[in-house]
Short mmCIF file of all heavy atoms in Angstrom, two decimals:
data_model
loop_
_atom_site.label_atom_id
_atom_site.label_comp_id
_atom_site.label_asym_id
_atom_site.label_seq_id
_atom_site.Cartn_x
_atom_site.Cartn_y
_atom_site.Cartn_z
N THR B 851 67.21 72.60 92.29
CA THR B 851 67.42 73.68 91.31
C THR B 851 66.57 73.45 90.07
O THR B 851 65.91 74.37 89.55
CB THR B 851 68.92 73.72 90.93
OG1 THR B 851 69.72 73.67 92.11
CG2 THR B 851 69.26 74.97 90.16
N GLU B 852 66.56 72.20 89.61
CA GLU B 852 65.78 71.86 88.42
C GLU B 852 64.28 72.12 88.65
O GLU B 852 63.60 72.69 87.79
CB GLU B 852 66.04 70.39 88.08
CG GLU B 852 65.57 69.96 86.72
CD GLU B 852 66.09 70.87 85.58
OE1 GLU B 852 67.30 71.21 85.57
OE2 GLU B 852 65.27 71.26 84.74
N LYS B 853 63.82 71.73 89.82
CA LYS B 853 62.41 71.92 90.13
C LYS B 853 62.04 73.40 90.16
O LYS B 853 61.00 73.82 89.63
CB LYS B 853 62.13 71.28 91.52
CG LYS B 853 60.66 71.04 91.81
CD LYS B 853 60.47 70.25 93.10
CE LYS B 853 59.21 70.66 93.83
NZ LYS B 853 59.20 70.24 95.22
N ALA B 854 62.94 74.21 90.71
CA ALA B 854 62.71 75.67 90.75
C ALA B 854 62.65 76.23 89.34
O ALA B 854 61.80 77.05 89.00
CB ALA B 854 63.77 76.36 91.57
N LEU B 855 63.57 75.74 88.49
CA LEU B 855 63.56 76.16 87.10
C LEU B 855 62.25 75.91 86.39
O LEU B 855 61.72 76.76 85.65
CB LEU B 855 64.65 75.38 86.32
CG LEU B 855 66.06 75.89 86.52
CD1 LEU B 855 66.96 75.33 85.43
CD2 LEU B 855 66.06 77.40 86.45
N GLN B 856 61.73 74.70 86.61
CA GLN B 856 60.47 74.34 85.96
C GLN B 856 59.35 75.24 86.47
O GLN B 856 58.50 75.66 85.70
CB GLN B 856 60.15 72.85 86.19
CG GLN B 856 61.18 71.90 85.59
CD GLN B 856 61.50 72.21 84.15
OE1 GLN B 856 60.62 72.61 83.35
NE2 GLN B 856 62.79 72.09 83.77
N LEU B 857 59.37 75.52 87.78
CA LEU B 857 58.36 76.39 88.37
C LEU B 857 58.44 77.79 87.74
O LEU B 857 57.43 78.42 87.40
CB LEU B 857 58.58 76.55 89.88
CG LEU B 857 57.89 75.50 90.74
CD1 LEU B 857 58.36 75.62 92.19
CD2 LEU B 857 56.37 75.67 90.68
N LEU B 858 59.68 78.31 87.58
CA LEU B 858 59.86 79.63 86.96
C LEU B 858 59.28 79.63 85.55
O LEU B 858 58.54 80.52 85.14
CB LEU B 858 61.35 80.00 86.93
CG LEU B 858 62.01 80.37 88.26
CD1 LEU B 858 63.52 80.55 88.07
CD2 LEU B 858 61.42 81.66 88.83
N LYS B 859 59.67 78.58 84.81
CA LYS B 859 59.18 78.52 83.41
C LYS B 859 57.67 78.44 83.36
O LYS B 859 57.04 79.06 82.49
CB LYS B 859 59.79 77.28 82.71
CG LYS B 859 61.27 77.53 82.35
CD LYS B 859 61.86 76.28 81.69
CE LYS B 859 63.34 76.48 81.36
NZ LYS B 859 63.99 75.22 80.99
N SER B 860 57.09 77.72 84.32
CA SER B 860 55.62 77.54 84.32
C SER B 860 54.94 78.91 84.58
O SER B 860 53.76 79.08 84.26
CB SER B 860 55.21 76.55 85.42
OG SER B 860 55.33 77.16 86.71
N GLN B 861 55.67 79.86 85.13
CA GLN B 861 55.13 81.18 85.38
C GLN B 861 55.46 82.14 84.27
O GLN B 861 55.22 83.36 84.37
CB GLN B 861 55.69 81.74 86.71
CG GLN B 861 55.35 80.92 87.93
CD GLN B 861 53.84 80.90 88.19
OE1 GLN B 861 53.19 81.93 88.22
NE2 GLN B 861 53.27 79.70 88.36
N GLY B 862 56.05 81.64 83.19
CA GLY B 862 56.35 82.50 82.05
C GLY B 862 57.63 83.28 82.20
O GLY B 862 57.90 84.21 81.43
N VAL B 863 58.44 82.95 83.19
CA VAL B 863 59.73 83.63 83.35
C VAL B 863 60.72 83.05 82.36
O VAL B 863 60.86 81.83 82.22
CB VAL B 863 60.25 83.44 84.81
CG1 VAL B 863 61.63 84.08 84.94
CG2 VAL B 863 59.27 84.01 85.80
N LYS B 864 61.45 83.91 81.66
CA LYS B 864 62.49 83.44 80.77
C LYS B 864 63.69 82.96 81.60
O LYS B 864 64.13 83.67 82.50
CB LYS B 864 62.92 84.58 79.85
CG LYS B 864 63.99 84.19 78.87
CD LYS B 864 64.24 85.27 77.83
CE LYS B 864 65.39 84.83 76.89
NZ LYS B 864 65.73 85.93 75.96
N VAL B 865 64.16 81.78 81.29
CA VAL B 865 65.28 81.21 82.03
C VAL B 865 66.45 81.07 81.09
O VAL B 865 66.33 80.46 80.01
CB VAL B 865 64.93 79.84 82.63
CG1 VAL B 865 66.14 79.19 83.26
CG2 VAL B 865 63.79 80.01 83.66
N ILE B 866 67.59 81.64 81.43
CA ILE B 866 68.81 81.44 80.64
C ILE B 866 69.88 80.83 81.50
O ILE B 866 69.93 81.03 82.70
CB ILE B 866 69.29 82.75 79.98
CG1 ILE B 866 69.52 83.85 81.01
CG2 ILE B 866 68.31 83.23 78.92
CD1 ILE B 866 70.03 85.14 80.41
N GLU B 867 70.71 80.01 80.85
CA GLU B 867 71.78 79.33 81.56
C GLU B 867 73.00 80.24 81.67
O GLU B 867 73.35 80.91 80.70
CB GLU B 867 72.19 78.05 80.83
CG GLU B 867 71.04 77.09 80.56
CD GLU B 867 70.76 76.20 81.76
OE1 GLU B 867 71.72 75.81 82.48
OE2 GLU B 867 69.55 75.90 82.00
N LEU B 868 73.63 80.23 82.82
CA LEU B 868 74.90 80.94 82.97
C LEU B 868 76.00 80.05 82.42
O LEU B 868 76.29 79.01 82.99
CB LEU B 868 75.15 81.24 84.45
CG LEU B 868 76.52 81.83 84.79
CD1 LEU B 868 76.78 83.11 84.04
CD2 LEU B 868 76.67 82.05 86.29
N ASP B 869 76.51 80.44 81.28
CA ASP B 869 77.57 79.64 80.64
C ASP B 869 78.88 80.41 80.86
O ASP B 869 79.27 81.21 80.02
CB ASP B 869 77.25 79.48 79.16
CG ASP B 869 78.32 78.66 78.45
OD1 ASP B 869 79.15 78.04 79.16
OD2 ASP B 869 78.34 78.67 77.22
#
Side-chain angles (χ1 to χ4, degrees):
Chain B
T851 313
E852 194 52 46
K853 197 172 146 196
L855 281 196
Q856 298 311 323
L857 272 172
L858 287 173
K859 285 179 182 168
S860 74
Q861 298 296 310
V863 176
K864 181 172 178 185
V865 174
I866 55 179
E867 303 277 325
L868 172 59
D869 180 13

